[in-house]
Structures are given as structure tokens and as C-alpha cells.
Amino acid sequence: MMRNLDGVSVYFDPAHFSAETLERIQTFPVTAVIKEMLFHTLRWSDKSAEKMPVEQTFFQALFLLCQEQMKQKAAETFTLPRVTHPSLVRAMDSALVDPGHASLTQALHQAGMSERSFRRHFLNETGMTWQAWITQARLFHAATLLAEGQRVTDVSADVGYASLSAFAKAFTHLLGQSPVRFRKSQESNIGLKIH
């Protein structure tokens, strides 16, 4: 069967997740079963899925499979801590727009804080330094770009690495596989995006 689609997005009600799960952005691999189920959902309109028992059961099963994937990969899946402090939220949101060019100076400006206060609050809320967090944010963005099929060299530059070998080393250390291998593993899932 040929599918002429750019993507499928699925949104789950946050009420079904634990508070701990909602504190972090998490990626997980889309299995072949989940992929086919996502494409299968396209046969129903938004309103019919809310009313029909078969559709409700189907979406519940899809949710449980996704949740299972998240739990199985929790130890090895790369997560990105979020914060609640409004000043830090502004700094993070600004950095996530273009993590490859984000800097501590820009973060301090967005937060409206001194460097000392920013570092202290940031570490308290995330358990990470700013540098460790922005490195993970860059690699998170890199994983997204690679999953879309972009070239490793282009992705490396886009996320702020001057050296391809440094990018490959950081990516492999955090995600457990090289950027090339990760990109190849995602080729069968191109076009599927889970938010």
C-alpha cells in the first residue's frame, strides 16, 4: 500500500501520564505495530473516534503500546528536563527555537538574571548545568533532524558542532549509537512524528 503522507501526529491527554513523565521531553522508537496503528487511525474523523467503542478501544491500545515503549526505553532514552521558574522557562524556550546557536549569554538575557543566580536556579530545577542541558537539547534536535533524513554533516553543523567527530562522539555517548546508524534505523519511520 502506498501512503502519500508527510506525517501523522498523535496527542495524548496529559492526565494519563504521571507527573514525573510530564516533567521531561522524551523520545522513543516507533515500532512497526505502532507505525501501522498510527496509519490506521487516519480512517476515522476526530469526532467519530470519540463516540465509537471500537475506536476508543483502538486508541486505548495505541496509548498503552506507546506507554510501554516509553517505559522500556526509559533507562536508555534520552530525556530533556524542563523547569517551572518563569525566567528559566523563557531562557529554555528561547534556546529550543535554535539550540545550535543558543548561548549562556542569550539565556541570561532571556531570564533577566545574573549568571550566578541563573546557574544556581537552573541546577536546582534540572539537576544539570546549563552546558549539559544545552548539549542534550542540541543532540535532541539532531536526532529529530536525522530522523527526517537530513545528512549527518549538515545536522552536525546545524546543531552547533564545528567538528563532525566531536558531534558523532557526543551523539553516540548520549543515544548509544552513531548518528549514521541512528539515521538508518529511522528510515523506515520517516514521516511519523509523535508529539
Side-chain angles (χ1 to χ4, degrees):
M1 174 196 284
M2 297 295 291
R3 297 183 178 99
N4 186 18
L5 295 171
D6 289 330
V8 175
S9 295
V10 177
Y11 298 90
F12 293 113
D13 185 342
H16 296 294
F17 291 90
S18 67
E20 182 182 316
T21 303
L22 295 174
E23 289 175 356
R24 299 174 178 266
I25 297 170
Q26 184 174 345
T27 62
F28 60 92
V30 176
T31 65
V33 171
I34 293 174
K35 178 180 175 180
E36 289 305 316
M37 289 180 77
L38 288 170
F39 281 119
H40 189 74
T41 63
L42 299 175
R43 65 187 286 180
W44 299 307
S45 70
D46 292 340
K47 292 181 182 178
S48 73
E50 295 171 4
K51 297 176 183 176
M52 303 297 291
V54 171
E55 285 87 341
Q56 287 179 348
T57 303
F58 182 89
F59 280 106
Q60 180 65 22
L62 177 59
F63 168 75
L64 291 172
L65 286 171
C66 289
Q67 196 173 44
E68 179 185 46
Q69 277 298 106
M70 291 170 75
K71 287 178 183 174
Q72 282 181 353
K73 298 297 179 182
E76 58 196 70
T77 299
F78 138 66
T79 59
L80 193 62
R82 295 292 293 167
V83 294
T84 57
H85 191 291
S87 296
L88 297 180
V89 169
R90 281 195 309 273
M92 277 188 168
D93 287 347
S94 176
L96 289 173
V97 170
D98 185 7
H101 295 94
S103 68
L104 177 60
T105 303
Q106 290 171 334
L108 295 174
H109 176 74
Q110 289 294 327
M113 301 170 90
S114 71
E115 183 173 343
R116 182 178 171 157
S117 292
F118 179 84
R119 287 184 185 277
R120 185 178 73 250
H121 286 294
F122 197 90
L123 184 60
N124 286 342
E125 285 214 37
T126 65
M128 305 174 75
T129 64
W130 163 260
Q131 189 57 47
W133 184 87
I134 196 61
T135 297
Q136 284 199 188
R138 287 174 177 156
L139 295 173
F140 184 92
H141 186 57
T144 302
L145 297 176
L146 290 168
E148 292 172 355
Q150 293 193 30
R151 292 175 7 158
V152 174
T153 52
D154 294 339
V155 171
S156 173
D158 192 44
V159 298
Y161 281 84
S163 160
L164 184 57
S165 62
F167 168 68
K169 183 177 179 181
F171 190 94
T172 303
H173 177 73
L174 192 62
L175 276 82
Q177 57 185 316
S178 72
V180 171
R181 187 173 171 202
F182 178 84
R183 184 177 180 269
K184 286 181 180 176
S185 73
Q186 298 301 304
E187 285 176 357
S188 63
N189 295 330
I190 288 176
L192 292 179
K193 299 175 186 176
I194 295 187
H195 302 281

mmCIF file of all heavy atoms in Angstrom, residues 7-35:
data_model
loop_
_atom_site.group_PDB
_atom_site.id
_atom_site.type_symbol
_atom_site.label_atom_id
_atom_site.label_comp_id
_atom_site.label_asym_id
_atom_site.label_seq_id
_atom_site.Cartn_x
_atom_site.Cartn_y
_atom_site.Cartn_z
ATOM 1 N N GLY A 7 3.144 13.108 7.409
ATOM 2 C CA GLY A 7 3.305 12.706 8.792
ATOM 3 C C GLY A 7 1.989 12.447 9.480
ATOM 4 O O GLY A 7 0.922 12.748 8.955
ATOM 5 N N VAL A 8 2.104 11.872 10.645
ATOM 6 C CA VAL A 8 0.956 11.603 11.491
ATOM 7 C C VAL A 8 1.329 12.092 12.881
ATOM 8 O O VAL A 8 2.398 11.759 13.387
ATOM 9 C CB VAL A 8 0.648 10.085 11.551
ATOM 10 C CG1 VAL A 8 -0.481 9.815 12.530
ATOM 11 C CG2 VAL A 8 0.297 9.556 10.174
ATOM 12 N N SER A 9 0.484 12.890 13.489
ATOM 13 C CA SER A 9 0.726 13.371 14.850
ATOM 14 C C SER A 9 -0.343 12.820 15.764
ATOM 15 O O SER A 9 -1.517 12.766 15.401
ATOM 16 C CB SER A 9 0.680 14.906 14.897
ATOM 17 O OG SER A 9 1.737 15.448 14.149
ATOM 18 N N VAL A 10 0.076 12.407 16.944
ATOM 19 C CA VAL A 10 -0.848 11.875 17.938
ATOM 20 C C VAL A 10 -0.637 12.649 19.225
ATOM 21 O O VAL A 10 0.500 12.850 19.654
ATOM 22 C CB VAL A 10 -0.594 10.372 18.188
ATOM 23 C CG1 VAL A 10 -1.510 9.853 19.280
ATOM 24 C CG2 VAL A 10 -0.787 9.585 16.912
ATOM 25 N N TYR A 11 -1.723 13.102 19.824
ATOM 26 C CA TYR A 11 -1.651 13.834 21.081
ATOM 27 C C TYR A 11 -2.399 13.045 22.143
ATOM 28 O O TYR A 11 -3.561 12.691 21.955
ATOM 29 C CB TYR A 11 -2.272 15.225 20.933
ATOM 30 C CG TYR A 11 -1.537 16.068 19.915
ATOM 31 C CD1 TYR A 11 -1.913 16.059 18.577
ATOM 32 C CD2 TYR A 11 -0.442 16.838 20.284
ATOM 33 C CE1 TYR A 11 -1.233 16.796 17.634
ATOM 34 C CE2 TYR A 11 0.259 17.576 19.350
ATOM 35 C CZ TYR A 11 -0.144 17.557 18.034
ATOM 36 O OH TYR A 11 0.536 18.294 17.103
ATOM 37 N N PHE A 12 -1.714 12.769 23.258
ATOM 38 C CA PHE A 12 -2.326 12.042 24.352
ATOM 39 C C PHE A 12 -2.701 13.022 25.459
ATOM 40 O O PHE A 12 -1.991 13.994 25.710
ATOM 41 C CB PHE A 12 -1.370 10.992 24.909
ATOM 42 C CG PHE A 12 -1.072 9.881 23.945
ATOM 43 C CD1 PHE A 12 0.195 9.714 23.420
ATOM 44 C CD2 PHE A 12 -2.068 8.994 23.561
ATOM 45 C CE1 PHE A 12 0.474 8.688 22.530
ATOM 46 C CE2 PHE A 12 -1.805 7.963 22.674
ATOM 47 C CZ PHE A 12 -0.538 7.808 22.159
ATOM 48 N N ASP A 13 -3.794 12.758 26.128
ATOM 49 C CA ASP A 13 -4.239 13.575 27.246
ATOM 50 C C ASP A 13 -3.205 13.462 28.367
ATOM 51 O O ASP A 13 -2.909 12.360 28.837
ATOM 52 C CB ASP A 13 -5.597 13.074 27.733
ATOM 53 C CG ASP A 13 -6.199 13.942 28.821
ATOM 54 O OD1 ASP A 13 -5.455 14.729 29.444
ATOM 55 O OD2 ASP A 13 -7.406 13.823 29.044
ATOM 56 N N PRO A 14 -2.635 14.606 28.814
ATOM 57 C CA PRO A 14 -1.618 14.558 29.876
ATOM 58 C C PRO A 14 -2.120 13.910 31.164
ATOM 59 O O PRO A 14 -1.327 13.439 31.971
ATOM 60 C CB PRO A 14 -1.281 16.037 30.110
ATOM 61 C CG PRO A 14 -1.713 16.735 28.874
ATOM 62 C CD PRO A 14 -2.862 15.951 28.321
ATOM 63 N N ALA A 15 -3.428 13.870 31.359
ATOM 64 C CA ALA A 15 -3.992 13.275 32.575
ATOM 65 C C ALA A 15 -3.648 11.789 32.698
ATOM 66 O O ALA A 15 -3.681 11.232 33.792
ATOM 67 C CB ALA A 15 -5.508 13.456 32.589
ATOM 68 N N HIS A 16 -3.286 11.151 31.584
ATOM 69 C CA HIS A 16 -2.975 9.719 31.603
ATOM 70 C C HIS A 16 -1.513 9.431 31.949
ATOM 71 O O HIS A 16 -1.126 8.269 32.011
ATOM 72 C CB HIS A 16 -3.300 9.091 30.249
ATOM 73 C CG HIS A 16 -4.755 9.142 29.908
ATOM 74 N ND1 HIS A 16 -5.713 8.453 30.612
ATOM 75 C CD2 HIS A 16 -5.406 9.823 28.934
ATOM 76 C CE1 HIS A 16 -6.901 8.695 30.083
ATOM 77 N NE2 HIS A 16 -6.742 9.518 29.064
ATOM 78 N N PHE A 17 -0.717 10.487 32.147
ATOM 79 C CA PHE A 17 0.694 10.306 32.434
ATOM 80 C C PHE A 17 1.008 10.756 33.854
ATOM 81 O O PHE A 17 0.354 11.644 34.387
ATOM 82 C CB PHE A 17 1.559 11.107 31.448
ATOM 83 C CG PHE A 17 1.519 10.578 30.049
ATOM 84 C CD1 PHE A 17 0.566 11.042 29.149
ATOM 85 C CD2 PHE A 17 2.408 9.611 29.631
ATOM 86 C CE1 PHE A 17 0.513 10.558 27.851
ATOM 87 C CE2 PHE A 17 2.363 9.119 28.336
ATOM 88 C CZ PHE A 17 1.423 9.593 27.451
ATOM 89 N N SER A 18 2.038 10.174 34.429
ATOM 90 C CA SER A 18 2.457 10.583 35.764
ATOM 91 C C SER A 18 3.104 11.955 35.694
ATOM 92 O O SER A 18 3.594 12.376 34.641
ATOM 93 C CB SER A 18 3.461 9.568 36.332
ATOM 94 O OG SER A 18 4.671 9.611 35.583
ATOM 95 N N ALA A 19 3.128 12.645 36.821
ATOM 96 C CA ALA A 19 3.740 13.979 36.884
ATOM 97 C C ALA A 19 5.207 13.903 36.485
ATOM 98 O O ALA A 19 5.723 14.786 35.803
ATOM 99 C CB ALA A 19 3.587 14.563 38.284
ATOM 100 N N GLU A 20 5.880 12.836 36.876
ATOM 101 C CA GLU A 20 7.297 12.662 36.546
ATOM 102 C C GLU A 20 7.504 12.567 35.040
ATOM 103 O O GLU A 20 8.440 13.142 34.483
ATOM 104 C CB GLU A 20 7.832 11.404 37.231
ATOM 105 C CG GLU A 20 9.307 11.158 36.980
ATOM 106 C CD GLU A 20 9.796 9.879 37.643
ATOM 107 O OE1 GLU A 20 9.428 9.645 38.798
ATOM 108 O OE2 GLU A 20 10.536 9.132 36.980
ATOM 109 N N THR A 21 6.616 11.860 34.360
ATOM 110 C CA THR A 21 6.711 11.720 32.904
ATOM 111 C C THR A 21 6.551 13.066 32.218
ATOM 112 O O THR A 21 7.232 13.365 31.244
ATOM 113 C CB THR A 21 5.634 10.744 32.388
ATOM 114 O OG1 THR A 21 5.784 9.501 33.052
ATOM 115 C CG2 THR A 21 5.746 10.527 30.889
ATOM 116 N N LEU A 22 5.651 13.906 32.738
ATOM 117 C CA LEU A 22 5.346 15.186 32.102
ATOM 118 C C LEU A 22 6.434 16.227 32.310
ATOM 119 O O LEU A 22 6.445 17.245 31.642
ATOM 120 C CB LEU A 22 4.010 15.720 32.631
ATOM 121 C CG LEU A 22 2.786 14.872 32.287
ATOM 122 C CD1 LEU A 22 1.563 15.423 32.992
ATOM 123 C CD2 LEU A 22 2.577 14.814 30.788
ATOM 124 N N GLU A 23 7.356 15.976 33.231
ATOM 125 C CA GLU A 23 8.416 16.940 33.513
ATOM 126 C C GLU A 23 9.505 16.913 32.456
ATOM 127 O O GLU A 23 10.349 17.785 32.411
ATOM 128 C CB GLU A 23 9.045 16.654 34.879
ATOM 129 C CG GLU A 23 8.128 16.994 36.045
ATOM 130 C CD GLU A 23 8.726 16.582 37.374
ATOM 131 O OE1 GLU A 23 9.815 15.964 37.375
ATOM 132 O OE2 GLU A 23 8.104 16.884 38.402
ATOM 133 N N ARG A 24 9.502 15.908 31.602
ATOM 134 C CA ARG A 24 10.580 15.746 30.638
ATOM 135 C C ARG A 24 10.040 15.510 29.233
ATOM 136 O O ARG A 24 8.991 14.917 29.066
ATOM 137 C CB ARG A 24 11.468 14.554 31.018
ATOM 138 C CG ARG A 24 12.137 14.711 32.357
ATOM 139 C CD ARG A 24 12.888 13.450 32.745
ATOM 140 N NE ARG A 24 13.564 13.622 34.002
ATOM 141 C CZ ARG A 24 14.830 14.011 34.113
ATOM 142 N NH1 ARG A 24 15.529 14.269 33.047
ATOM 143 N NH2 ARG A 24 15.388 14.154 35.292
ATOM 144 N N ILE A 25 10.803 15.983 28.271
ATOM 145 C CA ILE A 25 10.519 15.655 26.877
ATOM 146 C C ILE A 25 11.178 14.308 26.638
ATOM 147 O O ILE A 25 12.337 14.101 26.987
ATOM 148 C CB ILE A 25 11.116 16.716 25.930
ATOM 149 C CG1 ILE A 25 10.468 18.076 26.187
ATOM 150 C CG2 ILE A 25 10.960 16.290 24.484
ATOM 151 C CD1 ILE A 25 11.158 19.214 25.481
ATOM 152 N N GLN A 26 10.467 13.383 26.057
ATOM 153 C CA GLN A 26 11.035 12.049 25.867
ATOM 154 C C GLN A 26 10.805 11.566 24.449
ATOM 155 O O GLN A 26 9.736 11.745 23.888
ATOM 156 C CB GLN A 26 10.394 11.067 26.858
ATOM 157 C CG GLN A 26 11.001 9.688 26.796
ATOM 158 C CD GLN A 26 10.452 8.774 27.872
ATOM 159 O OE1 GLN A 26 9.835 9.220 28.824
ATOM 160 N NE2 GLN A 26 10.668 7.492 27.714
ATOM 161 N N THR A 27 11.832 10.960 23.895
ATOM 162 C CA THR A 27 11.705 10.327 22.587
ATOM 163 C C THR A 27 11.672 8.826 22.799
ATOM 164 O O THR A 27 12.193 8.317 23.782
ATOM 165 C CB THR A 27 12.899 10.663 21.672
ATOM 166 O OG1 THR A 27 14.085 10.151 22.257
ATOM 167 C CG2 THR A 27 13.020 12.160 21.456
ATOM 168 N N PHE A 28 11.052 8.128 21.875
ATOM 169 C CA PHE A 28 11.058 6.669 21.920
ATOM 170 C C PHE A 28 10.873 6.148 20.513
ATOM 171 O O PHE A 28 10.275 6.800 19.660
ATOM 172 C CB PHE A 28 9.977 6.125 22.868
ATOM 173 C CG PHE A 28 8.567 6.498 22.504
ATOM 174 C CD1 PHE A 28 7.796 5.669 21.704
ATOM 175 C CD2 PHE A 28 8.011 7.678 22.970
ATOM 176 C CE1 PHE A 28 6.499 6.005 21.371
ATOM 177 C CE2 PHE A 28 6.714 8.017 22.650
ATOM 178 C CZ PHE A 28 5.951 7.181 21.843
ATOM 179 N N PRO A 29 11.411 4.953 20.252
ATOM 180 C CA PRO A 29 11.289 4.401 18.902
ATOM 181 C C PRO A 29 9.854 3.985 18.595
ATOM 182 O O PRO A 29 9.138 3.506 19.468
ATOM 183 C CB PRO A 29 12.222 3.185 18.931
ATOM 184 C CG PRO A 29 12.404 2.862 20.366
ATOM 185 C CD PRO A 29 12.194 4.121 21.151
ATOM 186 N N VAL A 30 9.472 4.194 17.368
ATOM 187 C CA VAL A 30 8.137 3.790 16.912
ATOM 188 C C VAL A 30 8.275 2.401 16.295
ATOM 189 O O VAL A 30 8.947 2.222 15.285
ATOM 190 C CB VAL A 30 7.582 4.799 15.879
ATOM 191 C CG1 VAL A 30 6.245 4.334 15.341
ATOM 192 C CG2 VAL A 30 7.453 6.178 16.501
ATOM 193 N N THR A 31 7.651 1.421 16.937
ATOM 194 C CA THR A 31 7.725 0.047 16.425
ATOM 195 C C THR A 31 6.861 -0.086 15.177
ATOM 196 O O THR A 31 6.018 0.771 14.881
ATOM 197 C CB THR A 31 7.231 -0.952 17.485
ATOM 198 O OG1 THR A 31 5.843 -0.705 17.732
ATOM 199 C CG2 THR A 31 8.025 -0.833 18.777
ATOM 200 N N ALA A 32 7.040 -1.181 14.463
ATOM 201 C CA ALA A 32 6.250 -1.430 13.251
ATOM 202 C C ALA A 32 4.752 -1.489 13.571
ATOM 203 O O ALA A 32 3.925 -0.987 12.810
ATOM 204 C CB ALA A 32 6.701 -2.731 12.591
ATOM 205 N N VAL A 33 4.412 -2.098 14.724
ATOM 206 C CA VAL A 33 2.998 -2.197 15.114
ATOM 207 C C VAL A 33 2.414 -0.801 15.359
ATOM 208 O O VAL A 33 1.334 -0.469 14.871
ATOM 209 C CB VAL A 33 2.843 -3.078 16.376
ATOM 210 C CG1 VAL A 33 1.427 -3.003 16.919
ATOM 211 C CG2 VAL A 33 3.213 -4.513 16.066
ATOM 212 N N ILE A 34 3.142 0.014 16.121
ATOM 213 C CA ILE A 34 2.659 1.375 16.405
ATOM 214 C C ILE A 34 2.549 2.169 15.107
ATOM 215 O O ILE A 34 1.572 2.896 14.895
ATOM 216 C CB ILE A 34 3.582 2.079 17.421
ATOM 217 C CG1 ILE A 34 3.476 1.393 18.783
ATOM 218 C CG2 ILE A 34 3.225 3.555 17.538
ATOM 219 C CD1 ILE A 34 4.458 1.912 19.821
ATOM 220 N N LYS A 35 3.524 2.025 14.234
ATOM 221 C CA LYS A 35 3.502 2.736 12.950
ATOM 222 C C LYS A 35 2.237 2.394 12.166
ATOM 223 O O LYS A 35 1.531 3.276 11.679
ATOM 224 C CB LYS A 35 4.748 2.376 12.144
ATOM 225 C CG LYS A 35 4.809 3.009 10.777
ATOM 226 C CD LYS A 35 6.086 2.570 10.069
ATOM 227 C CE LYS A 35 6.120 3.078 8.656
ATOM 228 N NZ LYS A 35 7.342 2.669 7.961
#
